[in-house]
Amino acid sequence: MRLHLTARARLTVLYTGMVLAAGIVLTALTYLLLRRAVGRRLAVVIFNVDGTPGPLPPLPNDNHQVSQKLQQATLDAFLNQAAIALTVVIVLAAVLGWLVAGRVLRPIRSISATAQRLSLENLSERVPVTTPADELTTLAGTVNGMLDRIQQGIAERDLVLHSQRMFTANAAHELRTPLTTMRTAIDVTLDGRPDSDELLTMTRDIKAAVEHSQRTLDGLLELARSQAGSGPRHLVDLADVVTTVLETAPVRDLTVRSDLLPAPITGVPVLIERMVGNLVDNAIAYNQPGGRVEIATGREDGLAVLRIGNSGAVVTPDQAQLLLEPFVRGDGARLHTDAGAGLGLSIVQAIVTAHDGEITVTARPAGGLDITIRFPPAEHRTAARLP
């Protein structure tokens, strides 16, 4: 039966074996040197009881034999003492090796324990990084980096799945009305012998329903892409994006006031431009003749801030909050339009959420809305600023 040792036991055996080998080599070298030294010189001194040198006793005739016996006795005594000392050293080496191996392997046990506690529902825990920096610290950092990437991947996957579920649910709900309209128009028209005028009326009704369905699907697809927040992220300045959008915005007879200070963020440029475009279009479309649009960018408390306000119809605070939901309709002109799909601010909110931002919608007492969006500051480690 093969014996399976733990890493701590193997390290202890390794440390003890190295000390044993070093002790044997040291003892052997000392033995050889001592044997050589004893063989060169032999001195015999006899002392009386009172400590004074006494007369030599009769010595054997064979001095060489006496020398060999004394040499052997000295070497045997050395070997006995060395064996005892080596045994003590080996025992101490085994104990110290066990303790040292446990301390060295402690970070690995911590990594293993953390990995066992992790699951799909709990990926927030991280391996503690010890000091000073060594190979185990590098291993802990590598494991933490891997966990960060896994957590980010799962978060992105959940975001995509959520957007797909929302797309399916919203599409099923919103397409029910135009499909019912088309079926009713066909059933009513074909219930008898329709003439050309009735057929043309049915065709126009079906065309209008199809166009409405197409706008709805386009808006839902854009909402799903915005919720996913997919795409490479770069350094984007909100002030530059607003300037670009305002250059092509159909402001008509409105007064536009802008106060654009640098507000860099890290984001997907296409989505950020779509967000600003929706906000500007919304402020223009739901305004009043001769009204105003105010837009500003800058930094507050370390955050990049975008503010846009407009004059328009009076909206209650409860209605203002509902505007961020998809397909919200209301009685006022501000909440209803036959041209849109009711997804403008929903797409804005999805883009803000995908970029870890925060959006606030406030109704103005005199009419219109104030929308404030705050983003985390730009990350310096991202790619270079887009031209």
Side-chain angles (χ1 to χ4, degrees), residues 68-126:
Q68 285 185 340
K69 287 182 179 181
L70 290 175
Q71 179 182 357
Q72 189 62 42
T74 302
L75 294 177
D76 291 342
F78 166 76
L79 289 177
N80 292 334
Q81 298 299 322
I84 295 174
L86 185 58
T87 302
V88 174
V89 170
I90 292 302
V91 172
L92 291 177
V95 174
L96 292 177
W98 178 264
L99 296 176
V100 171
R103 184 171 183 82
V104 170
L105 295 176
R106 186 181 302 169
I108 297 180
R109 291 197 300 270
S110 177
I111 293 174
S112 177
T114 302
Q116 291 177 356
R117 290 192 297 268
L118 293 175
S119 63
L120 289 178
E121 291 75 20
N122 177 28
L123 288 174
S124 59
E125 191 171 356
R126 293 294 179 267

Side-chain angles (χ1 to χ4, degrees), residues 303-348:
L303 302 177
V305 179
L306 167 64
R307 286 192 175 89
I308 183 168
N310 69 311
S311 56
V314 176
V315 181
T316 66
D318 293 337
Q319 288 176 330
Q321 297 304 317
L322 291 176
L323 288 174
L324 298 176
E325 299 296 328
F327 307 112
V328 172
R329 296 290 188 268
D331 297 331
R334 177 63 183 79
L335 296 176
H336 179 72
T337 175
D338 295 331
L343 291 170
L345 290 182
S346 300
I347 294 175
V348 170

Side-chain angles (χ1 to χ4, degrees), residues 28-368:
L29 289 176
T30 305
Y31 178 83
L32 293 176
L33 294 174
L34 181 62
R35 182 178 180 180
R36 185 178 180 183
V38 172
R40 288 180 177 178
R41 177 179 297 179
L42 178 62
V44 179
V45 180
I46 305 299
F47 291 93
N48 293 324
V49 178
D50 59 0
T52 59
L56 291 176
L59 295 177
N61 296 327
D62 190 356
N63 293 332
H64 180 68
Q65 183 180 3
V66 174
S67 175
Q68 285 185 340
K69 287 182 179 181
L70 290 175
Q71 179 182 357
Q72 189 62 42
T74 302
L75 294 177
D76 291 342
F78 166 76
L79 289 177
N80 292 334
Q81 298 299 322
I84 295 174
L86 185 58
T87 302
V88 174
V89 170
I90 292 302
V91 172
L92 291 177
V95 174
L96 292 177
W98 178 264
L99 296 176
V100 171
R103 184 171 183 82
V104 170
L105 295 176
R106 186 181 302 169
I108 297 180
R109 291 197 300 270
S110 177
I111 293 174
S112 177
T114 302
Q116 291 177 356
R117 290 192 297 268
L118 293 175
S119 63
L120 289 178
E121 291 75 20
N122 177 28
L123 288 174
S124 59
E125 191 171 356
R126 293 294 179 267
V127 177
V129 179
T130 59
T131 55
D134 54 13
E135 290 80 359
L136 293 178
T137 302
T138 303
L139 175 61
T142 302
V143 173
N144 288 338
M146 179 188 67
L147 292 176
D148 290 339
R149 292 190 294 272
I150 292 176
Q151 187 175 20
Q152 182 180 1
I154 292 177
E156 292 176 354
R157 181 207 63 182
D158 292 342
L159 195 61
V160 171
L161 291 177
H162 174 72
S163 65
Q164 291 176 348
R165 287 193 295 267
M166 292 297 297
F167 173 82
T168 303
N170 290 330
H173 182 269
E174 289 299 317
L175 293 180
R176 187 179 304 169
T177 299
L179 289 175
T180 301
T181 301
M182 287 186 285
R183 181 171 181 176
T184 301
I186 294 174
D187 291 341
V188 171
T189 303
L190 297 182
D191 187 16
R193 295 180 177 275
D195 55 19
S196 58
D197 292 337
E198 292 175 334
L199 291 175
L200 289 175
T201 301
M202 179 192 70
T203 303
R204 286 192 294 268
D205 292 340
I206 293 176
K207 180 181 179 181
V210 170
E211 290 176 349
H212 177 75
S213 300
Q214 184 176 2
R215 290 195 302 270
T216 300
L217 286 175
D218 291 341
L220 286 172
L221 288 173
E222 187 64 33
L223 177 61
R225 285 192 291 266
S226 302
Q227 289 173 333
S230 58
R233 301 199 173 194
H234 302 273
L235 188 63
V236 183
D237 194 336
L238 293 176
D240 295 339
V241 177
V242 172
T243 301
T244 302
V245 172
L246 289 179
E247 289 176 352
T248 58
V251 295
R252 303 194 306 269
D253 57 345
L254 301 176
T255 301
V256 179
R257 297 178 181 177
S258 60
D259 182 15
L260 305 179
L261 299 177
I265 66 171
T266 302
V268 182
V270 175
L271 295 181
I272 298 299
E273 185 174 354
R274 179 59 188 267
M275 176 198 72
V276 175
N278 280 12
L279 289 172
V280 173
D281 291 343
N282 196 74
I284 294 175
Y286 299 107
N287 215 312
Q288 58 190 11
R292 303 180 310 279
V293 175
E294 299 100 11
I295 186 167
T297 61
R299 294 174 64 90
E300 292 181 2
D301 299 328
L303 302 177
V305 179
L306 167 64
R307 286 192 175 89
I308 183 168
N310 69 311
S311 56
V314 176
V315 181
T316 66
D318 293 337
Q319 288 176 330
Q321 297 304 317
L322 291 176
L323 288 174
L324 298 176
E325 299 296 328
F327 307 112
V328 172
R329 296 290 188 268
D331 297 331
R334 177 63 183 79
L335 296 176
H336 179 72
T337 175
D338 295 331
L343 291 170
L345 290 182
S346 300
I347 294 175
V348 170
Q349 185 185 37
I351 295 174
V352 172
T353 302
H355 289 79
D356 300 323
E358 179 184 12
I359 181 171
T360 303
V361 180
T362 305
R364 289 182 170 183

